[in-house]
């Protein structure tokens, strides 16, 4: 978690698990769960030009279920706050998936529309950075004594499933020791009163 990478922030403070990629790509992730005491918490995918606080970026996110929907936040100039494109399609956990693709100089953001069993385009953006960019998953939006929690699964880059363990980590949050990543193994079990 962190307090930034939101639509009102000139500087981004967040936890980011990423890969460096060059050229065209297509990445998607499933977000089956997001909970937070902070109403503006978001989880999703982000492409960044750099890891500096005010880097240009494009992010495709889901919000908390009680807040509502999908949206895309993007900063195309380091001297201004980000802009956003908002969807009126309500998020329905656990069926939340987001996707970003780049072909030549066009970055396209999508969300999964369960009713149609298809990806719907959220926005298209001009992005001429063909050098290596940072591409990954992010969770943002924390209160001082509360950490948002999101589960990410099915991270797919260009048709290949990527283990979350293979991602590098960037964390510039101001809450020391308040941002964690857990690689959990769940198995079937039963509880008994004995």
């Amino acid at each position: 978690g962190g307090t930034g990478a939101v639509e009102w922030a000139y500087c981004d403070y967040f936890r980011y698990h990423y890969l460096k990629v060059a050229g065209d790509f297509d990445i998607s992730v499933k977000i089956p769960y997001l909970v937070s005491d902070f109403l503006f918490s978001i989880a999703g995918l982000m492409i960044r030009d750099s890891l500096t606080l005010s880097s240009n970026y494009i992010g495709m996110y889901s919000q908390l279920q009680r807040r509502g929907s999908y949206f895309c936040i993007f900063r195309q100039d380091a001297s201004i706050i980000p802009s956003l494109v908002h969807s009126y399609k309500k998020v329905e956990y656990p069926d939340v998936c987001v996707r970003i693709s780049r072909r030549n100089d066009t970055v396209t953001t999508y969300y999964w529309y369960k009713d149609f069993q298809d990806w719907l385009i959220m926005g298209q953006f001009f992005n001429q950075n063909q050098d290596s960019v940072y591409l990954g998953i992010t969770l943002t939006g924390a209160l001082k004594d509360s950490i948002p929690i999101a589960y990410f699964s099915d991270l797919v880059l260009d048709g290949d499933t990527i283990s979350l363990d293979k991602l590098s980590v960037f964390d510039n949050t101001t809450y020391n020791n308040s941002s964690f990543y857990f690689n959990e193994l769940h198995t079937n079990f039963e509880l008994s009163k004995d």
Side-chain angles (χ1 to χ4, degrees), residues 69-87:
S69 62
Y70 296 93
F71 69 103
C72 178
I73 302 176
F74 57 97
R75 179 187 294 128
Q76 295 180 311
D77 182 331
S79 65
I80 61 173
I81 61 172
S83 300
L84 66 98
V85 177
H86 202 281
S87 165

Side-chain angles (χ1 to χ4, degrees), residues 140-152:
T140 188
L143 299 173
K144 185 172 183 173
D145 297 319
S146 176
I147 301 170
I149 298 170
Y151 296 138
F152 295 89

Side-chain angles (χ1 to χ4, degrees), residues 96-158:
V96 172
C97 300
V98 295
R99 176 179 162 206
I100 298 177
S101 69
R102 179 170 69 183
R103 297 290 173 260
N104 300 316
D105 291 336
T106 301
V107 172
T108 306
T109 59
Y110 310 80
Y111 63 90
W112 179 253
Y113 192 42
K114 161 178 105 162
D115 295 348
F116 295 154
Q117 294 293 296
D118 201 3
W119 293 103
L120 296 184
I121 293 176
M122 184 77 177
Q124 290 190 312
F125 307 90
F126 179 73
N127 179 273
Q128 61 186 130
N129 182 356
Q130 290 296 305
D131 295 330
S132 292
V133 294
Y134 298 85
L135 178 64
I137 58 174
T138 185
L139 170 62
T140 188
L143 299 173
K144 185 172 183 173
D145 297 319
S146 176
I147 301 170
I149 298 170
Y151 296 138
F152 295 89
S153 67
D154 305 322
L155 180 64
V156 177
L157 176 62
D158 296 330

Side-chain angles (χ1 to χ4, degrees), residues 11-193:
C11 296
D12 306 324
Y13 296 94
F14 61 106
R15 181 147 177 114
Y16 189 42
H17 294 255
Y18 68 90
L19 299 167
K20 282 188 83 172
V21 298
D24 293 349
F25 63 81
D26 193 316
I27 188 168
S28 62
V29 71
K30 183 172 185 178
I31 310 165
Y33 183 80
L34 172 61
V35 66
S36 177
D37 293 334
F38 185 60
L39 183 62
F40 299 101
S41 291
I42 54 177
L45 291 169
M46 178 188 287
I47 172 179
R48 293 182 72 85
D49 287 348
S50 74
L51 297 177
T52 62
L53 292 178
S54 58
S55 171
N56 291 350
Y57 72 86
I58 301 167
M60 183 63 210
Y61 304 102
S62 64
Q63 299 174 313
L64 295 170
Q65 187 142 351
R66 72 179 188 267
R67 184 167 180 224
S69 62
Y70 296 93
F71 69 103
C72 178
I73 302 176
F74 57 97
R75 179 187 294 128
Q76 295 180 311
D77 182 331
S79 65
I80 61 173
I81 61 172
S83 300
L84 66 98
V85 177
H86 202 281
S87 165
Y88 295 100
K89 170 67 178 105
K90 187 172 177 66
V91 292
E92 297 178 46
Y93 295 100
D95 298 311
V96 172
C97 300
V98 295
R99 176 179 162 206
I100 298 177
S101 69
R102 179 170 69 183
R103 297 290 173 260
N104 300 316
D105 291 336
T106 301
V107 172
T108 306
T109 59
Y110 310 80
Y111 63 90
W112 179 253
Y113 192 42
K114 161 178 105 162
D115 295 348
F116 295 154
Q117 294 293 296
D118 201 3
W119 293 103
L120 296 184
I121 293 176
M122 184 77 177
Q124 290 190 312
F125 307 90
F126 179 73
N127 179 273
Q128 61 186 130
N129 182 356
Q130 290 296 305
D131 295 330
S132 292
V133 294
Y134 298 85
L135 178 64
I137 58 174
T138 185
L139 170 62
T140 188
L143 299 173
K144 185 172 183 173
D145 297 319
S146 176
I147 301 170
I149 298 170
Y151 296 138
F152 295 89
S153 67
D154 305 322
L155 180 64
V156 177
L157 176 62
D158 296 330
D160 295 324
T161 300
I162 304 294
S163 169
L164 298 180
D165 293 331
K166 301 291 184 197
L167 303 178
S168 299
V169 178
F170 172 79
D171 188 347
N172 69 348
T173 59
T174 57
Y175 304 112
N176 293 333
N177 300 316
S178 295
S179 185
F180 302 97
Y181 165 69
F182 297 100
N183 186 5
E184 297 182 359
L185 173 65
H186 296 274
T187 186
N188 293 333
F189 61 91
E190 289 185 23
L191 297 176
S192 76
K193 293 182 182 180

